[in-house]
Amino acid sequence: MADPLDLLAGDAGLDVTQPVAGADLLADPNAPGPFARGVKSGVAGVKSSLYGAGALAARGATAVLPAAAAPVTTGLEQAALANVEAQNEVAEQGAMSFEDVVADPSRAGEYFKFLLGNAVPSLAMIAAGGLTGMGLGALATRGSATALAARAAGTVAPAVRAGGYLGAVAPDFALEAGSIYPEALKTGVENPALRSIVGGAGAAALDVLPLLTAERYLAPIGAGGAKALLKGAAKGAPVGALLEGTQEAGQSAVERLAAGKPMTGPDAISDYVNSFLGGAAPGT
């Protein structure tokens, strides 16, 4: 029988191990997209770091409180560390890395969306801290000559600006130190708590540069309105992406050093590259 459409042909030329586009009939149409997966992974990462910070605080409590309290504080530390591992597992589900794009360049857009979503939880926490700090700074200097002068000049009072920076850096420090401490325990370095505190402070300090740069480019907003906002954001986007990416890679280096992890090698390089891209994507 004639077979003009070659329907009876064998599988020559067809790699049966590879999926056929559009033929994934079992795919879940309600599965979350890359941005949603990024947000979920980011939330779990933030929770993991906060649990790590809690474990670090419990270790500090064990060191300063009477020996009778040690069973309680040690138990709290172990519970927090168990939650760190649980949240890390959640963060890994559906996560993406630059290596996925190297293996399949067509996933570059998916990776970019994942990175944007992944940055949302930590940025939201830092922004909330900054706004809280600004509010406390405004309350502390309410009615003062400095505050009145700043209001008359249409500028931000020094106390409000300082409160904003401190408020943003405080949760950032908790996230950084909390992510270092569990890793430092795993590597078995000496003085893991102290290394986590010093490393967390150093990594958090690196966040100040992007904040200062953003303020520089967005400062004219008050005078120029929406047009100035768009102009400032457009001018600052390339610089912001480079600074945020470099800052994130630098933070990864500080974290690895503080935790006693190798500073070179394939794992370290992958960490630096993914951290750079993870900072550059939302920095745009």
Side-chain angles (χ1 to χ4, degrees):
M1 181 177 68
D3 184 15
L5 298 180
D6 201 21
L7 299 177
L8 302 179
D11 60 0
L14 175 64
D15 187 351
V16 296
T17 66
Q18 299 298 319
V20 178
D24 189 4
L25 301 181
L26 299 180
D28 183 3
N30 297 318
F35 183 83
R37 294 202 314 270
V39 172
K40 180 180 179 180
S41 179
V43 168
V46 167
K47 288 183 177 180
S48 174
S49 295
L50 292 178
Y51 279 125
L56 178 59
R59 172 63 67 93
T62 302
V64 300
L65 293 178
V72 175
T73 55
T74 301
L76 290 174
E77 179 181 359
Q78 294 304 315
L81 291 173
N83 283 322
V84 168
E85 294 301 322
Q87 291 302 319
N88 284 341
E89 292 180 4
V90 174
E92 287 297 322
Q93 298 172 4
M96 289 191 67
S97 68
F98 177 67
E99 288 76 8
D100 294 323
V101 179
V102 173
D104 184 2
S106 67
R107 302 187 68 188
E110 180 184 354
Y111 180 50
F112 181 75
K113 294 176 183 177
F114 173 83
L115 292 178
L116 291 179
N118 192 248
V120 169
S122 59
L123 291 178
M125 184 175 176
I126 292 172
L131 292 174
T132 300
M134 291 178 69
L136 293 175
L139 287 174
T141 58
R142 184 177 182 181
S144 67
T146 303
L148 294 176
R151 180 180 299 179
T155 60
V156 179
V160 175
R161 180 181 289 107
Y165 285 138
L166 292 175
V169 170
D172 192 21
F173 166 74
L175 293 175
E176 297 294 344
S179 67
I180 293 171
Y181 183 60
E183 297 299 320
L185 292 177
K186 290 179 182 179
T187 59
V189 294
E190 188 176 356
N191 297 323
L194 179 60
R195 292 176 70 109
S196 300
I197 293 172
V198 174
L206 292 177
D207 272 325
V208 174
L209 183 58
L211 289 174
L212 293 174
T213 302
E215 182 182 43
R216 174 187 173 187
Y217 281 99
L218 300 180
I221 293 176
K227 183 177 181 180
L229 170 61
L230 294 175
K231 183 178 180 181
K235 289 173 61 179
V239 177
L242 178 61
L243 283 178
E244 283 287 349
T246 304
Q247 167 243 321
E248 287 291 338
Q251 285 181 318
S252 292
V254 171
E255 292 166 3
R256 295 185 71 88
L257 178 63
K261 301 175 72 172
M263 301 299 293
T264 58
D267 184 63
I269 293 175
S270 174
D271 193 2
Y272 302 148
V273 172
N274 281 286
S275 294
F276 177 87
L277 296 175
T284 56

